[in-house]
Amino acid sequence: MDYKAGICNFCGTGCGHLLKMKDGRVDGVFVSQNHPVSKGRLCVRGWHMHELLRTEERITSPMIRRNGVLEKVSLDEALGYISDKISKDIKNPAEELAFLASPRSSNEDGYLLMKLARSVFKTNNISIDSESGHRNSINVLHRGTGMAGMLGSLEEIEKAEFILVVGTDITKQNPIVGSEIHKAGLRGAQVVTICSRESQIAKLSKKFIQVKPGTKKIAIAAMAKTIIEDTLYDNDFVKKHTEGLDGFANALGALKDEDIPALTGVESEVIKAVARDLVKAKTAMVFFSSGISGLDEDTISYIYNLFLLAGKVGKEGCGVNPITGICNLQGSYDMGLAPDLMTGYQPLADSAVIKKFNTAWKTDLNDKPGKGVYDLLRDGSSKLKALFIVDHDESIVRFSKEMKSLDLIVYFGAFENSFTDYAHVVIPTASYVEYDGTYTNTERRVQLSSKKADGDKNIQAAWKIYAALAAKKGANWNYASASDVMAEIARLTDTYSGISYAKFTGLGGLKWPCDDKHPGGTARLDIAGMKGALKFVAVSGTYAVKKAQDQNPFLLMMGQGQHFWHQNNIMKRTFIPKREYNATLLLYPRGYVEICPEDAKKIEVRDKWPVKVVSAHGSMQVAVKVTGDVKPGTAYVPYFIQDMISEFLLEHKEIIDQGENAIIPVKIEKV
């Protein structure tokens, strides 16, 4: 029996752990005492990762659907079938073929899937499954600073005197990050949470600003307006290091002080006091979810501009910090898994970028950006015929009707799930402990997960399968190892140019940019090393909010429940989380909707009583969960219940895509 060091593959925090190995299998998990992120801790999910890795619910053979039934075949036959089917039936791959990548795949897997789509199958229709909201964060931070990722460092949370949490219940989504924020608060940092629901981190904060649903942006804008109007900002910092303040200030002009209380439900002086505290602090950080329940791009722009205005960008102990919910969501975008980006956020439309990749790959790429898979499925005029999907989360069941009309669906994954009911071809892949691969956490930290178990000899790493499929189409990629793939990534990607497997010694990995100037990686955005100015990014300057209606007096918010995380795809294979999930379902078998005691009294219901939730587009019957976490006139529902998705939320696809701004006016009736 021995222990092998690795990284947790659950959320985007990137904690270190030790896996106990016995007879070639994972037998347990233990903390890594010296890991710079987790510091000898794991959350309840991380403590049970070994149960996922020991599950017998593995896909063990390639399968092809014949006469409605999946039949086991060899890998070679399955790949040949895919190749022949595409050649025969897909005449215009730029419109008829798409790839849905997984944010749980390694960087090497993601990179070669992107290369397969663009160079072999000639389509730029490639996107990430789940948590598309992270692109909003990337867009804003890249426009403002040139760094398309977290501007701060998780290791420096303890150095922040002021910490703002916007929206996310970070203690549940990323418990180790939430723990660091709570510890900073206990040491004296002022932790402030702005949210429409009293989350656990809100309860642990020194100040909780409970705004009306859909008004987080207005509260942030009001803080920025206070700093500008009272001339609280560091004028020397703004003049020396930034540009574009006048445009941002003009956009704030449409927000009137007298309207703020009515819009947000919070008195202006409360918001102004927080703005003053932010400016007074020597160091400050802001955290927000950038995932499936993340913020929209406009709200993130206001957050970034606020911290730039306060001079809390580009310094130690400071940063604008989007938090990813899935292990390699940041790395997936780094690898160019987007319709318009190559690796390292190099624009597909840039002729110099296309020339570089054409030369390296010996191909002729299409430089016209593609479309995301969800956009194609949502578009009734789409010509999509074939879809490749990797290790899905069940959010895609929102488009079950559209998928059933496709001629070919190919699914790559390690574990059994109901999605195989949609697939025409199923290809098993190795789990992340069965091959070498790197993963990039929420703070840009690239870490190596080395092979620890052999697994089934007939099941290969995904990157090898993609290479084999490319070979069926006449492409000879000739990679001997995952490190060869990373070497190619480094050659083509400036921010990864200094990364190699040889550098992954000890714990902690390397944070990009890692290059000639930063051979050991980069802790945070450093204003001292920047060539140009930090830019205030454009904002909408509009402050309208969605209001309740006479016939639908409740504003229904949607988000994550602790035990419904990621559609329960992973949770249901780990015993303790599964127990808690099942216990919740015993109390609320078809899910629940949270309302406050005052509203429960008006509706004449008690906790666990059934109610009917009705909107302009549909209805659902669920139980009531009576809690003080929501204000009167608002309601909250976790959307990770299969029945609720099919019966009600499917009718609100476009609203759900708005993330934390997803608000549905509803009526709640006693059944």
Side-chain angles (χ1 to χ4, degrees):
M1 185 181 297
D2 64 338
Y3 288 86
K4 294 185 178 180
I7 54 172
C8 182
N9 197 242
F10 207 107
C11 77
T13 307
C15 296
H17 64 196
L18 298 173
L19 292 180
K20 183 170 70 172
M21 307 301 297
K22 182 178 181 181
D23 300 328
R25 296 187 67 197
V26 177
D27 192 52
V29 65
F30 196 69
V31 296
S32 175
Q33 294 290 349
N34 300 318
H35 193 275
V37 173
S38 48
K39 302 175 183 176
R41 296 164 297 172
L42 290 172
C43 74
V44 65
R45 299 186 293 256
W47 273 113
H48 296 274
M49 179 56 76
H50 63 292
E51 293 166 2
L52 169 69
L53 298 171
R54 285 182 61 89
T55 180
E56 300 298 329
E57 298 177 25
R58 293 290 298 272
I59 301 174
T60 58
S61 172
M63 294 177 282
I64 297 175
R65 189 176 299 279
R66 295 188 173 109
N67 299 319
V69 179
L70 286 172
E71 298 178 356
K72 293 183 178 181
V73 297
S74 68
L75 177 62
D76 186 70
E77 183 179 353
L79 297 181
Y81 177 88
I82 295 168
S83 177
D84 293 343
K85 183 79 171 173
I86 296 293
S87 297
K88 178 182 177 182
D89 297 341
I90 303 301
K91 307 304 180 186
N92 183 6
E95 294 185 349
E96 298 173 353
L97 178 61
F99 288 71
L100 189 62
S102 170
R104 293 197 183 97
S105 295
S106 69
N107 288 320
E108 293 77 10
D109 289 346
Y111 172 77
L112 287 193
L113 182 72
M114 183 271 291
K115 184 176 180 179
L116 180 71
R118 299 193 200 276
S119 71
V120 175
F121 288 110
K122 304 300 181 182
T123 181
N124 290 323
N125 299 328
I126 184 164
S127 56
I128 297 291
D129 181 23
S130 184
E131 306 229 22
S132 57
H134 191 54
R135 181 66 190 270
N136 297 332
S137 303
I138 288 170
N139 288 346
V140 171
L141 299 179
H142 195 233
R143 283 199 297 267
T145 70
M147 180 180 281
M150 181 184 284
L151 305 185
S153 168
L154 297 182
E155 292 174 88
E156 295 180 4
I157 293 175
E158 63 185 13
K159 298 179 181 180
E161 295 181 1
F162 179 99
I163 298 174
L164 179 64
V165 180
V166 183
T168 179
D169 191 354
I170 200 166
T171 57
K172 292 183 179 179
Q173 177 174 310
N174 297 73
I176 299 303
V177 179
S179 172
E180 283 295 294
I181 293 173
H182 182 44
K183 283 168 60 180
L186 293 176
R187 285 191 295 265
Q190 182 172 0
V191 179
V192 179
T193 293
I194 297 176
C195 194
S196 301
R197 178 174 172 266
E198 190 172 11
S199 60
Q200 185 176 3
I201 191 63
K203 293 179 173 72
L204 296 173
S205 299
K206 291 184 179 177
K207 278 190 179 181
F208 171 42
I209 301 177
Q210 190 166 12
V211 296
K212 290 181 179 180
T215 65
K216 300 181 189 75
K217 178 181 77 175
I218 297 175
I220 297 296
M223 291 173 63
K225 186 177 176 69
T226 297
I227 294 173
I228 291 175
E229 290 183 346
D230 295 353
T231 322
L232 300 175
Y233 58 90
D234 185 337
N235 192 51
D236 289 340
F237 174 86
V238 171
K239 281 188 174 181
K240 184 178 179 181
H241 298 294
T242 75
E243 62 182 43
L245 174 58
D246 289 345
F248 180 49
N250 290 337
L252 295 171
L255 180 61
K256 306 303 180 184
D257 288 345
E258 59 269 23
D259 295 336
I260 292 171
L263 290 170
T264 64
V266 180
E267 291 300 319
S268 295
E269 191 51 45
V270 174
I271 296 173
K272 289 181 178 181
V274 174
R276 296 185 189 107
D277 290 340
L278 168 60
V279 173
K280 289 177 185 177
K282 293 180 181 178
T283 53
M285 290 185 169
V286 58
F287 294 88
F288 53 92
S289 170
S290 65
I292 195 168
S293 60
L295 302 171
D296 67 295
E297 194 165 314
D298 199 34
T299 301
I300 296 169
S301 297
Y302 278 92
I303 292 172
Y304 163 75
N305 285 351
L306 170 66
F307 270 66
L308 185 58
L309 180 65
K312 303 304 189 292
V313 172
K315 302 175 182 177
E316 185 178 15
C318 297
V320 178
N321 304 321
I323 300 295
T324 56
I326 303 183
C327 64
N328 203 38
L329 181 58
Q330 177 68 48
S332 296
Y333 280 107
D334 294 349
M335 294 301 105
L337 293 170
D340 58 337
L341 299 174
M342 302 299 283
T343 61
Y345 310 95
Q346 300 171 85
L348 185 67
D350 188 328
S351 59
V353 172
I354 289 294
K355 182 178 180 180
K356 177 170 72 171
F357 279 87
N358 280 340
T359 301
W361 289 353
K362 297 179 175 59
T363 188
D364 185 17
L365 295 175
N366 173 12
D367 62 357
K368 183 180 179 181
K371 293 183 178 180
V373 170
Y374 290 159
D375 292 332
L376 288 167
L377 291 172
R378 189 183 294 111
D379 183 359
S381 62
S382 167
K383 298 178 182 179
L384 186 65
K385 291 182 178 180
L387 179 59
F388 287 62
I389 297 179
V390 182
D391 190 25
H392 85 299
D393 272 336
E394 290 178 13
S395 54
I396 196 171
V397 300
R398 288 182 283 162
F399 300 98
S400 58
K401 179 181 177 181
E402 291 83 354
M403 287 190 295
K404 287 176 181 177
S405 68
L406 299 181
D407 295 337
L408 176 66
I409 295 178
V410 180
Y411 179 65
F412 302 89
F415 304 108
E416 295 176 359
N417 57 64
S418 59
F419 188 75
T420 54
D421 294 341
Y422 297 90
H424 301 95
V425 182
V426 176
I427 307 290
T429 60
S431 74
Y432 84 101
V433 294
E434 295 166 351
Y435 67 102
D436 293 340
T438 61
Y439 298 82
T440 306
N441 81 340
T442 192
E443 60 171 346
R444 301 167 286 102
R445 186 186 295 271
V446 186
Q447 301 183 86
L448 174 63
S449 173
S450 299
K451 179 178 177 180
K452 300 169 185 65
D454 289 332
D456 190 317
K457 65 180 180 179
N458 296 315
I459 300 177
Q460 300 182 30
W463 68 264
K464 291 185 177 181
I465 296 171
Y466 303 151
L469 181 54
K472 289 287 184 183
K473 304 297 292 184
N476 181 17
W477 288 353
N478 204 26
Y479 302 106
S481 65
S483 64
D484 289 347
V485 182
M486 177 52 71
E488 182 171 303
I489 295 168
R491 287 194 297 272
L492 294 169
T493 314
D494 289 345
T495 51
Y496 276 66
S497 61
I499 293 177
S500 68
Y501 274 39
K503 280 191 174 182
F504 290 117
T505 56
L507 295 171
L510 298 161
K511 296 183 198 175
W512 65 257
C514 181
D515 50 29
D516 291 341
K517 293 182 179 179
H518 312 91
T522 305
R524 80 198 77 78
L525 177 71
D526 186 357
I527 199 168
M530 290 190 62
K531 292 182 180 179
L534 297 167
K535 298 178 178 62
F536 286 90
V537 299
V539 295
S540 65
T542 60
Y543 306 101
V545 297
K546 185 173 288 188
K547 297 180 180 180
Q549 306 158 350
D550 290 340
Q551 68 275 25
N552 294 317
F554 286 87
L555 292 178
L556 179 67
M557 303 173 282
M558 292 169 285
Q560 296 169 336
Q562 183 171 9
H563 305 299
F564 311 138
W565 207 75
H566 289 172
Q567 298 285 22
N568 204 33
N569 281 356
I570 290 180
M571 299 285 270
K572 67 184 180 183
R573 295 187 177 91
T574 53
F575 298 127
I576 299 300
K578 181 180 179 181
R579 183 190 69 186
E580 299 300 321
Y581 174 81
N582 288 337
T584 302
L585 291 185
L586 286 174
L587 297 174
Y588 309 99
R590 299 186 65 197
Y592 59 81
V593 59
E594 293 183 357
I595 61 174
C596 72
E598 180 182 331
D599 286 333
K601 187 175 181 179
K602 288 180 180 178
I603 301 172
E604 299 181 338
V605 295
R606 296 180 180 178
D607 193 65
K608 304 181 187 64
W609 284 22
V611 293
K612 188 176 183 180
V613 180
V614 183
S615 78
H617 300 290
S619 66
M620 64 178 174
Q621 184 173 314
V622 292
V624 161
K625 185 175 183 180
V626 181
T627 172
D629 291 349
V630 294
K631 279 188 171 184
T634 68
Y636 176 85
V637 60
Y639 47 66
F640 293 121
I641 297 290
Q642 177 66 38
D643 288 343
M644 288 165 57
I645 290 173
S646 60
E647 292 179 6
F648 180 69
L649 297 185
L650 272 174
E651 303 298 327
H652 304 85
K653 292 177 187 176
E654 293 183 2
I655 297 177
I656 292 174
D657 288 342
Q658 296 173 17
E660 283 200 12
N661 289 320
I663 302 164
I664 306 173
V666 298
K667 175 172 55 178
I668 301 178
E669 303 172 329
K670 176 182 176 181
V671 174

